[in-house]
Each structure stands twice: as structure tokens, then as C-alpha cells.
Amino acid sequence: MSAKTLPPKATKAANAAEAVNPADGGCLYLVGTPIGNLEDITLRALRILKEVDKIACEDTRHTLKLLTKYDIHKPLVSYHDTMN
């Protein structure tokens, strides 16, 4: 990067998903989910889970409980299945 070239402007997280070109390989979100109380989830986490195409998770049974509570219907992929 030369001294004359400025870095690209950062975009808001809400606009970042719109800026991703699927031809470039998509986008990976890491979303922290509650361990105990399902109500201990952020609004941002819920928004991301509603917007993605599919969800890779460690245990589909636990994740399905969370998604059902918030009426989110996305395909689930076991993280362990993706490693094979």
C-alpha cells in the first residue's frame, strides 16, 4: 500500500452481508449461542441466524431447540460431518 492509497472504508455489520459476492466464496459468521438459558442470546446473533443459508453446529439437537424457540428454519449441518 503506498502512502497515497487509503484503506477501504469499513462498512457497518448490517451492510457487510449485502456486500458479499457469493461467487467469491460467501461469508462465514461465528455466532455465540447460549449454553443454558435460551433467552441469553443477542439480537445480532438472532438476526445473523435468520439471514444465513445454512448453519453448521456442534450438536444439531441443541441448536434445533434454539432455532425452534425463535422460529428460525435453516438447514443444519453437523460440524463433525463437515470435517470428513
Side-chain angles (χ1 to χ4, degrees):
M1 182 181 289
S2 69
K4 295 179 183 178
T5 306
L6 297 175
K9 281 188 155 184
T11 61
K12 292 183 178 181
N15 296 332
E18 296 169 7
V20 173
N21 182 353
D24 293 336
C27 186
L28 172 69
Y29 292 98
L30 298 178
V31 178
T33 57
I35 294 172
N37 189 337
L38 296 180
E39 294 177 356
D40 291 339
I41 191 164
T42 65
L43 295 175
R44 177 189 262 174
L46 290 172
R47 180 181 57 80
I48 294 297
L49 291 172
K50 289 177 183 178
E51 291 178 358
V52 297
D53 295 324
K54 67 175 83 170
I55 299 171
C57 51
E58 185 175 1
D59 189 332
T60 56
R61 295 168 298 180
H62 289 123
T63 304
L64 187 58
K65 289 178 189 176
L66 175 72
L67 298 178
T68 300
K69 177 174 178 60
Y70 292 102
D71 198 31
I72 300 172
H73 305 284
K74 300 292 176 170
L76 294 179
V77 178
S78 173
Y79 170 76
H80 299 291
D81 291 344
T82 62
M83 298 305 291
N84 294 328

